[in-house]
Amino acid sequence: MSQYVLVLNSGSSSIKFQVIDPSADPSHPPMAAGLVERIGEPKGLIKIKTENQTLEDSRPISSHSVGLERAFALMTGLGLGPLDLDLAAVGHRVVHGGKEFTGPVRITKDVVKQLEDLVPLAPLHNPANIDGIRECMDLLGHLPHVAVFDTSFFSDMPDAAANYAINRELVKEYDIRRYGFHGTSHEFVSKKVPGLLGKDPKDVKQITLHLGNGASATAIDGGVAQDTSMGLTPLAGLVMGTRSGDIDPGILFHLVRSGGLKVDDLDELLNRKSGLKGVCGANDFREILEKIEQGDEDAKLAYGIYIHTLRRFIGSYMLNLGGLDAITFTAGVGENAAAVRRDALAGLENFGIEIDDARNTDPDAEGPREISTDNSSVKVFVVPTNEELAIAQYAFNIAQEAQES
Ligand code: ADP
């Protein structure tokens, strides 16, 4: 069995993929990374990046399968095609695994059917994930394909955290539950923490903060998720780039009754026109920090709500965990925005949390690292996430088990 895994993340109009050695160091760039964009639009784009070259193809792409076929042909031209590499497996990111999928699975026809049954829970994401799986399985049918779910890590959450206080009959009929998302990232990052602390994983209480365009917080005790900020959908919880995070549901009734908004308007409003963008017009954190420097009041307010919400979750998780060993920041904002890390944890010395300014702002720092002071009894870390590597590792292990049995 070869050592390489193809990892695929298929969206509604784009496909991201990487060819990865699952045993490589997380900081090691993938062997190849590709992007198929603007599927179904007049101008498509396929971009492939390897260690020493970048290739582009900007012809229109009529479908996911056309995009994948062309991307694989470009890779073959580089000697990195799926057949050249004799891949071990293909790992697929799947957003929603419902209650059924509590861990990664080898994809069979039955699994695809089960994924189709979950579409009502994730109408924006799962259909595109399923298309990517189908088309990739058509092209690479000889390989084991493995689905890795954003929700699985939260399947053992305590009932009190996983349930909403609404009518039980409706809950059962519509499978309503706090499923949580970004699970692959929270798990990947949280697994590094016991090693950094020099503790047994079962003794570690921790909070992981995945702060990217989407953002979520998770409380973890002994490796098991205890609570998480996203819910039935990835709209809940923290303030995000364009998503509102938690709001009073009564706001929606008010907008329907007084503003005449329809379901699709509300969906668009809360998923794409809210969050940081809704408050200050920008969703890229670098732009927001620049606007604040220039004295922009809306950007200051957006940042203020973002930090306030983050602290609200950190505080409640600390209390519910009944103690805390570590807080870890990850993803684009978490890994790069020292100001966010400082402000999220400012003034918490009485709770044993103290950021070391020099460690937090060290421009040369990279990889997993501590940013708290030596006195801080709760350790604060930055751990770069690598969801694709985690998916490659799961897919490789499942393919290997299948080969051995
Ligand atoms: P996604 O959820 O799309 O995977 P990422 O994890 O890549 O998102 O995070 C994207 C976010 O990270 C953007 O808001 C971007 O502005 C922010 N970001 C990236 N680099 C920096 C930086 N140096 N300083 C502040 N924010 C940054």
Side-chain angles (χ1 to χ4, degrees), residues 107-388:
I107 305 174
T108 60
K109 276 195 181 134
D110 282 347
V111 168
V112 174
K113 169 82 188 58
Q114 280 174 290
L115 293 177
E116 280 168 350
D117 292 343
L118 290 173
V119 164
L121 282 176
L124 300 178
H125 296 101
N126 271 29
N129 298 157
I130 298 169
D131 283 351
I133 288 172
R134 276 226 187 80
E135 270 133 29
C136 194
M137 285 179 93
D138 277 351
L139 293 171
L140 305 174
H142 61 292
L143 293 174
H145 290 249
V146 172
V148 180
F149 301 92
D150 274 22
T151 46
S152 303
F153 183 53
F154 309 106
S155 52
D156 291 329
M157 273 195 322
D159 285 345
N163 281 277
Y164 292 105
I166 56 175
N167 180 283
R168 291 302 293 164
E169 276 170 34
L170 289 178
V171 162
K172 284 186 192 134
E173 190 173 347
Y174 295 103
D175 290 326
I176 296 170
R177 171 191 163 92
R178 181 184 302 286
Y179 289 97
F181 297 87
H182 290 147
T184 311
S185 176
H186 286 288
E187 185 175 16
F188 179 84
V189 165
S190 63
K191 275 187 170 163
K192 307 271 178 221
V193 169
L196 293 169
L197 291 169
K199 279 188 146 184
D200 190 322
K202 73 176 181 358
D203 297 329
V204 175
K205 291 177 192 290
Q206 56 171 315
I207 296 172
T208 46
L209 303 168
H210 177 110
L211 310 178
N213 270 319
S216 60
T218 298
I220 303 161
D221 191 352
V224 181
Q226 303 296 309
D227 203 351
T228 194
S229 59
M230 285 178 164
L232 173 80
T233 73
L235 178 56
L238 302 176
V239 174
M240 308 181 217
T242 63
R243 286 175 245 164
S244 61
D246 286 352
I247 59 163
D248 174 357
I251 294 171
L252 303 183
F253 310 146
H254 181 53
L255 288 173
V256 169
R257 290 187 185 122
S258 307
L261 272 69
K262 304 274 184 294
V263 170
D264 288 344
D265 302 328
L266 295 174
D267 197 325
E268 171 84 2
L269 172 74
L270 296 189
N271 274 302
R272 297 189 209 284
K273 294 184 177 163
S274 296
L276 297 165
K277 186 164 194 171
V279 182
C280 74
N283 62 304
D284 189 302
F285 230 93
R286 285 163 288 204
E287 201 181 326
I288 290 166
L289 294 173
E290 270 171 35
K291 281 177 173 241
I292 292 173
E293 288 268 296
Q294 292 154 7
D296 183 309
E297 290 302 323
D298 289 341
K300 280 188 208 166
L301 179 63
Y303 185 81
I305 307 172
Y306 185 93
I307 296 290
H308 180 81
T309 311
L310 197 49
R311 288 170 69 93
R312 183 193 289 156
F313 276 89
I314 294 168
S316 82
Y317 287 174
M318 225 172 134
L319 202 80
N320 275 331
L321 283 169
L324 192 61
D325 297 293
I327 298 174
T328 304
F329 289 87
T330 195
V333 176
E335 290 168 32
N336 296 297
V340 169
R341 300 192 295 252
R342 177 197 65 209
D343 295 337
L345 300 177
L348 300 180
E349 294 77 10
N350 284 345
F351 296 90
I353 302 172
E354 194 174 29
I355 295 261
D356 181 304
D357 196 39
R359 287 176 184 169
N360 187 36
T361 55
D362 180 355
D364 300 324
E366 52 184 37
R369 58 192 182 274
E370 184 184 341
I371 57 164
S372 42
T373 63
D374 293 342
N375 284 335
S376 187
S377 57
V378 176
K379 294 295 169 199
V380 184
F381 299 113
V382 175
V383 175
T385 192
N386 193 333
E387 288 157 288
E388 292 78 13

